[in-house]
Amino acid sequence: MAKNKFHEGDGPSQRQLRVGELIRRTLAQVLAQGDIHDPELNRLSMTVGEVRCSPDLKIATAYVMPLGGDGRENAVEYLARNKHELRRMIGKKVGLKYTPDLRFRLDVTFDQMDATREMFSRDEVKRDLED
């Protein structure tokens, strides 16, 4: 199979990024509207930070976090339990030829940002940055 001459490197292709963003927006919309038939999932307000697609677009991994961090231990479980219904709804709204299988992970970037802010607020780091 010929390599794509416009995409080099280990990062995602433009198509992966486009499809991931389309699924992210649609998933966030479906979760915000509360159209899922699971009352426990509808009770949570979720943020969908990012969706990464595999190179063949068969798997989409959604990084989610409940607003305020409440219920984070159960959020992935609720989403995984309803992934078939979510996939069906996304397939209807997006109109892709093949709707990827959904996987869910907690989005830890918010925790990493807090740790980074804390690190930059230390006196020894401020001193090094000023020099």
Side-chain angles (χ1 to χ4, degrees):
M1 180 181 257
K3 284 201 159 237
N4 184 351
K5 65 180 179 181
F6 298 110
H7 180 256
E8 294 179 9
D10 295 331
S13 67
Q14 283 294 82
R15 186 168 185 208
Q16 286 174 273
L17 294 172
R18 243 186 357 256
V19 170
E21 181 60 20
L22 187 60
I23 292 172
R24 186 195 69 79
R25 287 181 184 174
T26 307
L27 181 61
Q29 179 185 22
V30 167
L31 291 172
Q33 290 173 349
D35 293 337
I36 307 301
H37 292 94
D38 187 351
E40 292 172 328
L41 182 59
N42 286 333
R43 211 174 313 130
L44 292 176
S45 295
M46 303 285 274
T47 299
V48 184
E50 181 182 8
V51 174
R52 294 182 188 166
C53 292
S54 62
D56 61 357
L57 302 177
K58 299 264 185 203
I59 299 171
T61 304
Y63 293 88
V64 297
M65 178 62 74
L67 290 178
D70 298 333
R72 69 171 48 187
E73 57 278 345
N74 296 326
V76 173
E77 176 190 334
Y78 296 155
L79 289 165
R81 187 170 61 198
N82 294 289
K83 77 177 190 174
H84 299 293
E85 186 177 2
L86 289 166
R87 182 178 179 209
R88 183 181 52 79
M89 295 176 101
I90 288 171
K92 278 184 180 179
K93 293 183 184 228
V94 172
L96 293 171
K97 182 177 180 180
Y98 179 84
T99 305
D101 185 36
L102 297 174
R103 311 254 170 101
F104 299 98
R105 304 282 182 267
L106 277 179
D107 191 356
V108 294
T109 56
F110 297 111
D111 298 334
Q112 291 171 346
M113 285 189 303
D114 290 340
T116 304
R117 268 192 227 110
E118 188 272 326
M119 181 184 70
F120 280 128
S121 67
R122 289 190 216 149
D123 290 334
E124 61 270 11
V125 174
K126 284 182 183 178
R127 183 192 66 228
D128 290 343
L129 290 175
E130 290 173 0
D131 289 342

